[in-house]
Amino acid sequence: MDTQSVIFDPELIQRYDTSGPRYTSYPTAVQFHEDFDETRYQQLARQSNQGHPPLSLYFHIPFCNTVCFYCGCNKVVTKDRSRSAPYLDYLYKEMALQAQLFDTDRVVDQLHWGGGTPTFLSHEEIHALFQHTRRYFNLRNDDKGEYSIEIDPREATAETIALLREEGFNRLSLGVQDFDPKVQKAVNRIQSEAVTQTVLDAARQEGFHSLSIDLIYGLPHQSVDSFIRTLDKIIEVSPDRISVFNYAHMPKLFKPQRRINEAELPSADEKLRILQQTITHLTQAGYVYIGMDHFAKPEDELTIAQRSGSLYRNFQGYATHADCDLIGFGATSIGKVANSYSQNLRALDDYYAVLDGGHLPIFRGIELTPDDLLRRAIIMDLMCHFRLDIQKLEQDHNLSFQDYFAHAWQALDKMQEDGLLTFDSRHIQVLPAGRLLIRNICMIFDQYLQQQQTQQRFSKVI
């Protein structure tokens, strides 16, 4: 069966239109609690050395020069460039504390800088942060790691791109969102095509392995026709990956969104039409629908990993290195070490104060139970590969799937009847009509959603 195609069924989508997690982790961050502290994290980090898996490092750079009204990220909006210097000093303190916990010969297979705007940093600061990382951790020198950075083209020049490549980055993710000037004005992100093209040209000249462009649908003034015009321009520059995110208007949770005029947002029906045409347009242009907003070229690593069954999902989205322990650095960053998740303090002053006391700034997390690990394995397979090998799962976890998930059979029967999936005692296979609704399918296996009414904390699945 072709698992890399998608069927758009408006009636099905409307019927299953509910709120739910994006499953960048299971359990989701809603389940993190403050009983999980620095002491337990340190114990688990040291234990993780026994298996000697590679490492993944995430650095959160929270600063932005201007605020994009749609943004729900943890950020500090400031034009004061001097604020990054003390933040970096504290990152170095955090690196020193974390480095004590992990064997020095564990190779860093993944590295990611996110934000905020990582290129808010000066060229000197970029160099210093990378050098400190090399000092404390075993970065690869063979250009075979997955070393990526999020770029705001308005905050980067050709010289910036050359520096990033020289330091060791080999993947770029560029924020575009929409090229329409009216949309850009409504969300306070003015970014010309020329500025974006300059960064793309420089990245190609410097030999970056992968270029990804981020778009958002559902923003003010967008229509099918206007968004297709942006898509045509993106297809023309031919990035390796394209992410098309659904704008979730949640102004009660994200203050900048209160500056968006709700009357200017496209209707629910128009949003669905934009999504439908986007999928058609990109697949006709040769891109493969990976899942959860992501498209990639057939020869891209993500597409290959999905075909081979090795695709993985983490807090940065889809990835190709499933076996890494993830260490999060910076305010609000999240890590995954051994069978646990942990999160740093959000406010800069709190983050600084804890590090001044010589402690890691972890304020909450969760240690996974055997039930969590079982359900995470199911959700990861469904999210990444749109199938589940039930017999293998039963062997790995020594259980009867039908007995353990007896409560799920009614929901699975209903979804099979609706054409979202097929299942028997050996497999669950998500059908092309179910791929857009994969979050709904995964929610069947989310024990915390069954126990609590937490869905209001999540965005709509479409």
Side-chain angles (χ1 to χ4, degrees), residues 80-319:
D80 182 1
R81 300 283 170 165
S82 68
R83 292 190 65 180
S84 56
Y87 184 79
L88 290 181
D89 288 338
Y90 281 99
L91 276 182
Y92 304 153
K93 288 184 180 183
E94 187 180 5
M95 265 194 271
L97 292 172
Q98 287 277 15
Q100 295 172 16
L101 303 175
F102 298 92
D103 288 348
T104 56
D105 58 347
R106 291 177 67 177
V107 176
V108 176
D109 274 350
Q110 280 186 318
L111 173 72
H112 187 82
W113 289 11
T117 306
T119 43
F120 182 94
L121 303 179
S122 70
H123 289 186
E124 293 76 19
E125 289 172 330
I126 289 171
H127 176 71
L129 178 52
F130 219 97
Q131 291 306 110
H132 275 81
T133 308
R134 285 198 179 279
R135 172 186 169 189
Y136 287 113
F137 294 95
N138 185 18
L139 298 188
R140 301 184 70 112
N141 291 311
D142 56 7
D143 207 28
K144 292 183 179 179
E146 193 175 274
Y147 290 9
S148 60
I149 181 171
E150 298 170 12
I151 295 288
D152 181 344
R154 302 170 301 172
E155 291 278 340
T157 63
E159 290 74 23
T160 308
I161 303 305
L163 171 66
L164 294 173
R165 188 69 181 103
E166 183 181 340
E167 295 294 342
F169 287 106
N170 51 31
R171 288 159 175 79
L172 287 185
S173 174
L174 276 68
V176 171
Q177 322 319 342
D178 195 311
F179 277 134
D180 189 297
K182 193 174 182 181
V183 176
Q184 290 186 357
K185 184 178 180 181
V187 299
N188 198 42
R189 186 186 176 100
I190 308 301
Q191 179 178 322
S192 71
E193 295 171 40
V195 164
T196 305
Q197 190 66 53
T198 296
V199 170
L200 284 168
D201 290 344
R204 290 207 164 97
Q205 184 173 338
E206 298 298 334
F208 277 82
H209 297 178
S210 177
L211 300 178
S212 177
I213 288 181
D214 294 342
L215 304 174
I216 298 178
Y217 75 96
L219 295 176
H221 302 299
Q222 284 180 335
S223 64
V224 171
D225 290 344
S226 73
F227 200 69
I228 292 300
R229 287 195 291 272
T230 288
L231 278 181
D232 283 338
K233 293 170 182 175
I234 298 301
I235 291 168
E236 188 176 343
V237 299
S238 191
D240 303 281
R241 303 174 186 177
I242 300 172
S243 298
V244 188
F245 297 105
N246 170 23
Y247 170 62
H249 190 61
M250 305 170 77
K252 290 182 179 179
L253 284 180
F254 307 118
K255 286 184 180 180
Q257 294 186 358
R258 298 172 192 174
R259 299 165 76 174
I260 284 179
N261 183 351
E262 292 190 18
E264 296 173 350
L265 294 172
S267 67
D269 286 345
E270 185 72 3
K271 272 188 77 173
L272 279 181
R273 286 192 289 270
I274 293 172
L275 176 60
Q276 181 178 18
Q277 291 302 314
T278 294
I279 293 169
T280 301
H281 216 63
L282 289 178
T283 52
Q284 287 179 349
Y287 286 89
V288 174
Y289 178 73
I290 299 297
M292 284 297 296
D293 324 305
H294 286 65
F295 299 80
K297 289 184 175 180
E299 64 275 15
D300 186 81
E301 291 172 311
L302 287 185
T303 313
I304 295 168
Q306 188 173 63
R307 288 185 182 133
S308 68
S310 61
L311 191 65
Y312 186 66
R313 190 162 169 79
N314 62 22
F315 296 101
Q316 284 80 58
Y318 288 102

